[in-house]
Every structure is written in C-alpha cells, then in structure tokens.
Amino acid sequence: MRQIKLPSWFLPIGLLGVCGLLAITVIAYATQWGPVIFSDAAGYITIGRNILAGKGIGGFNASGRFDLLTYQPPLYPILLASLGLLGADLVDVARWLNAALFGLTVFLAGIISLRLSPRCSIAIILTAAVCGVALCSPVLIGLYSTAMSEPTFIFFSLLGMVLL
C-alpha cells in the first residue's frame, strides 16, 4: 500500500484553519442576540444605511441637515453597506463581518507566529499557543462583539504585518 506524504505546510495551516473556524464560532455565540451597539456603533450602521439609500457617506445631525462623515473612519460603514447590498440587515452584517474578521485575525496571528518561530518541532506548539491566547482573549472577544471599526483596524494591521 502506498503511503501519502503530506506537504510540510499542511499541518500548521490546517491547525490555523481550525483555530480560525473556532474563532468564528466564539463570536457567533457571543453575539447570538446581535452585536453590542451603542452611540458610535449606531452611527456606523446609520451611515451604512445612508450609503445604501444613496444619500452618501454621512448622517443627519440634530437640526436635520445631512453632514458628510469627517470624524469617524469610513471603511467600516462602507464595508457594511457593501455587504448589505446582498439584502441582509446591517446589524446582521456587522455580526457576521466581525465573526469572519475575528477568525481571520486569529489565523493571521498564527501566520505571524509561524514566520517568527524557529523551524523546529516546537513551532507548531508555539503557534497553537498564540492562536489559543488570541482565541480566548476577553479583550479581543469584547472588541469583536461590538459593531465598531476596531475589528477592521486590527485585521488590516495584522494583514499589513504579514505582507511585510
């Protein structure tokens, strides 16, 4: 019987994939009644709805005048509106976007750990530890459970580090 030899990268990437799926599950469970929404988060969702309605990137102020967004990062409402084009409510979009971003963040943390660890048998254990710490971090779980722009910022920061 012929034995199949897996590539050397298969086990670490498989481990990172499982950790990423666990991270998505954690945020999906933490936000089962929806993401945490308070003043800034409500603003992001409102701006996303204004984009979908064709009014532009901004919101209405207390006097009823439409003001362009100048004091908050615009990428998160644009992402919400882009995914909202599929017909889903933006609160649900925020929940699943943050769950996906948390899974990708844990995956990227593992990639960074793999790149920085020495090429030895303990590298997989170190990578699993880094993914476990990111996966169980109450700070990260709290951030990714809100409809805020921080998850997008953290993900793109880690992506930039990986691409460097």
Side-chain angles (χ1 to χ4, degrees):
M1 187 158 115
R2 186 171 175 222
Q3 200 174 27
I4 298 174
K5 178 148 174 65
L6 296 174
S8 62
W9 54 265
F10 186 78
L11 180 63
I13 297 300
L15 172 73
L16 295 179
V18 168
C19 289
L21 290 174
L22 281 173
I24 291 170
T25 305
V26 166
I27 296 302
Y29 179 75
T31 60
Q32 60 187 330
W33 292 291
V36 176
I37 297 177
F38 47 90
S39 61
D40 285 352
Y44 289 130
I45 290 172
T46 301
I47 292 166
R49 287 180 178 157
N50 287 337
I51 293 170
L52 284 175
K55 295 177 181 147
I57 303 174
F60 293 95
N61 62 18
S63 66
R65 191 179 73 225
F66 187 82
D67 288 333
L68 293 176
L69 177 68
T70 58
Y71 55 89
Q72 290 177 321
L75 180 61
Y76 189 65
I78 291 171
L79 280 174
L80 290 177
S82 299
L83 295 171
L85 287 173
L86 300 173
D89 183 43
L90 293 190
V91 175
D92 293 331
V93 169
R95 175 186 182 210
W96 290 108
L97 174 64
N98 286 355
L101 287 174
F102 189 54
L104 291 170
T105 297
V106 170
F107 184 84
L108 289 177
I111 292 287
I112 291 170
S113 172
L114 275 176
R115 284 191 173 180
L116 295 178
S117 61
R119 297 287 175 218
C120 61
S121 60
I122 199 160
I124 293 177
I125 296 170
L126 290 173
T127 300
V130 167
C131 288
V133 167
L135 186 61
C136 297
S137 170
V139 173
L140 286 178
I141 292 171
L143 283 175
Y144 283 83
S145 296
T146 61
M148 298 291 286
S149 64
E150 282 83 357
T152 309
F153 172 76
I154 293 169
F155 166 72
F156 281 112
S157 297
L158 288 178
L159 182 62
M161 288 172 57
V162 167
L163 294 176
L164 280 176

